[in-house]
Amino acid sequence: MAAALAFITWRVAQNMLKSMRRADFDIDPGPRYFDFLAEATVFAIQVAWRLAYPRYDEAGRAAFMTTLVNRTGDELAENRSRLREAELPAAIKSRFVDLVNRRNAEYADFDFGPEGPDFAFLRYFATLVSELMPEKDRRWTWDQVIAIEGPEAAATVAKSVKGLFDDTPRRPRRAAATGE
C-alpha cells in the first residue's frame, strides 16, 4: 500500500506543479522547481498518513511511513539528480527525509477531518509554498494553494487511499469485444 501511495503522492505533486505553472506561477526547472515538488510531496504524504494511520498498529505505521517516504524520496532524488547532475541521489534523498521528519512535527499541530485538511493545515502548506515563490507570485500563491491546489491534492490522495484499502469484492470486467 505504501509503495503504491508513494507513486500516487509523487504524481499528485507533479500535477500540482503543472497546475501552478498553467496558472502562470513562475516555477521554472531548477532548484525552485524541485523544492516545490518536495513540499507538495510532503503535503501529499501528510494527507496519506492521516488517512492510513488508523488502519495500522504501531509497527505497521512505522513500516508504512518508512516505505512511503523512502520510495517517494527515491523518485525525487532520481529526477532531481538527472537535472542537476552534480548532486548525488543519496544526498538529495537524505535532505528529503529530513524535510519530511521536520514537517511531520509541524503538520502535527493541524487537524484533518472527514472533509480533509482544515484551513490551518492548508494555510501552513500555502505559507511553505509562498516562501519558494518569486516576490511577484507570493501574494497569489496563498489563494491558489488554499482554494485549489491543496484541496484537489488532498481529494486525490483520499480517493486513492480509499481505493487501495477497499477490500470490497469487485465485479469482474466484461470481456472486450474482439470484432469477430
Side-chain angles (χ1 to χ4, degrees):
M1 298 296 178
L5 278 171
F7 174 77
I8 292 164
T9 58
W10 176 247
R11 296 297 294 188
V12 164
Q14 288 179 312
N15 288 337
M16 200 181 314
L17 175 68
K18 289 175 188 173
S19 178
M20 294 283 289
R21 292 180 77 185
R22 276 193 305 273
D24 291 327
F25 287 88
D26 285 336
I27 312 171
D28 296 326
R32 179 181 296 145
Y33 181 96
F34 285 103
D35 291 345
F36 178 93
L37 280 173
E39 287 295 352
T41 303
V42 170
F43 174 80
I45 286 172
Q46 292 301 316
V47 172
W49 174 241
R50 299 291 181 100
L51 295 165
Y53 183 89
R55 301 172 187 272
Y56 291 103
D57 62 13
E58 200 58 42
R61 290 177 190 136
F64 175 87
M65 192 60 147
T66 299
T67 300
L68 177 59
V69 172
N70 278 315
R71 292 278 177 97
T72 310
D74 288 337
E75 193 66 38
L76 177 71
E78 179 185 326
N79 281 275
R80 188 170 189 151
S81 68
R82 256 191 265 143
L83 182 67
R84 303 182 52 87
E85 295 171 354
E87 291 187 86
L88 295 174
I92 296 166
K93 181 179 175 181
S94 178
R95 283 195 315 272
F96 177 73
V97 170
D98 289 345
L99 177 67
V100 171
N101 288 332
R102 247 187 354 267
R103 296 295 187 243
N104 281 346
E106 295 162 359
Y107 276 108
D109 292 335
F110 307 119
D111 290 329
F112 189 97
E115 301 300 314
D118 70 358
F119 181 76
F121 197 119
L122 292 168
R123 185 182 62 206
Y124 183 67
F125 177 49
T127 299
L128 296 169
V129 171
S130 71
E131 291 170 359
L132 300 172
M133 295 299 187
E135 188 62 40
K136 73 173 194 62
D137 288 339
R138 285 190 180 152
R139 179 173 180 220
W140 307 112
T141 299
W142 287 67
D143 293 338
Q144 183 76 14
V145 171
I146 291 171
I148 299 169
E149 306 306 333
E152 286 181 7
T156 300
V157 172
K159 181 179 176 185
S160 299
V161 168
K162 183 179 180 194
L164 286 170
F165 284 94
D166 184 10
D167 58 357
T168 305
R170 298 189 179 159
R171 294 186 332 180
R173 292 183 183 197
R174 296 192 318 163
T178 60
E180 293 179 18

